[in-house]
Amino acid sequence: MAEYQLYCFAQSGNAYRAALMLNLIGADWQPAYVDFFKGGETRTPKYRAEVNEMGEVPVLVHGAKKLTQSGVILTYLAERSGKFKPQTEDERLEVLRWIIFDNQKTNGFLGPYRFLKNFAKPPGDPAVMAFLKGRIDGSLAIVDKRLAGRTWMVGDRPTIADISMCAYLYYPVDEYGFDIAGTHKNIGAWLERVKALPGWKHPYELMPGHPPNL
Ligand SMILES: N[C@@H](CCC(=O)N[C@@H](CS)C(=O)NCC(=O)O)C(=O)O
């Protein structure tokens, strides 16, 4: 049994944050596949009683500890490994600020948009898709501006703010119908820098369940 188990599935950008961090820090980890689509596993009483009362992935199991919320998992792994860890109080607060913005606004809208476009039955109502696309455009513009003239989201080295922000940004362009990296040059260049970190892998390589069982 590996040191860490991560409940996840390949299409989850929220889980990708945790999987990517585990790989980047060189942790001994293994995925525990969650049948989100066909099995509706996160909505079952068993999952909510035994795995996560919030009915979500990712869930990180480390010995007797069971952690959920990718921001919490990233913080825990950064503190344990000393890698991608904000160093000062100001940096810690700044990293937290971007993780919350990312969870709510950036990937918080990209995730549902991509789900409704590719996996939901029936697919998303056009009015809902238009609303989400407007929010996505606004938020990506903010992140692109943040990255203008900077190498990383916070400070002068990669931190968990970068690992969080990548959540949904490496999935294929055709799953969105728009090219995020191509139309946001600073985001595009930063995604290449993250990709160059030793241990980086695409979400479809890192987590089980691609192609999905719909
Ligand atoms: N803020 C959470 C979001 C987690 C989340 O929404 N996960 C989705 C999968 S991508 C989920 O498990 N949803 C369960 C459901 O909708 O039933 C995090 O960052 O961990």
Side-chain angles (χ1 to χ4, degrees), residues 91 94-95 146 150-159 161-162:
E91 217 174 75
E94 190 63 359
V95 161
R146 169 73 181 180
R150 296 177 159 268
T151 310
W152 305 106
M153 287 300 301
V154 177
D156 57 5
R157 72 208 129 69
T159 64
D162 297 283

Side-chain angles (χ1 to χ4, degrees), residues 62-98:
H62 185 217
K65 252 191 210 315
K66 195 181 279 176
L67 300 175
T68 85
Q69 291 298 331
S70 58
V72 171
I73 294 170
L74 290 175
T75 302
Y76 178 71
L77 293 173
E79 281 172 4
R80 284 205 91 241
S81 67
K83 296 178 183 164
F84 304 102
K85 183 183 165 184
Q87 298 300 342
T88 61
E89 186 190 32
D90 282 353
E91 217 174 75
R92 190 171 54 75
L93 294 173
E94 190 63 359
V95 161
L96 183 58
R97 192 166 81 97
W98 283 102

Side-chain angles (χ1 to χ4, degrees), residues 104-182:
Q104 189 196 352
K105 297 268 178 75
T106 314
N107 291 291
F109 288 117
L110 276 168
Y113 184 94
R114 175 169 155 276
F115 173 76
L116 290 172
K117 183 170 175 353
N118 298 281
F119 309 124
K121 290 179 191 162
D125 181 284
V128 173
M129 299 303 280
F131 168 79
L132 289 174
K133 180 65 167 59
R135 304 296 286 177
I136 287 167
D137 289 345
S139 160
L140 287 176
I142 288 167
V143 176
D144 198 61
K145 183 160 178 274
R146 169 73 181 180
L147 287 166
R150 296 177 159 268
T151 310
W152 305 106
M153 287 300 301
V154 177
D156 57 5
R157 72 208 129 69
T159 64
I160 52 174
D162 297 283
I163 296 170
S164 183
M165 194 58 86
C166 309
Y168 282 88
L169 300 181
Y170 290 112
Y171 287 107
V173 170
D174 64 3
E175 291 183 2
Y176 294 107
F178 50 86
D179 180 1
I180 296 169

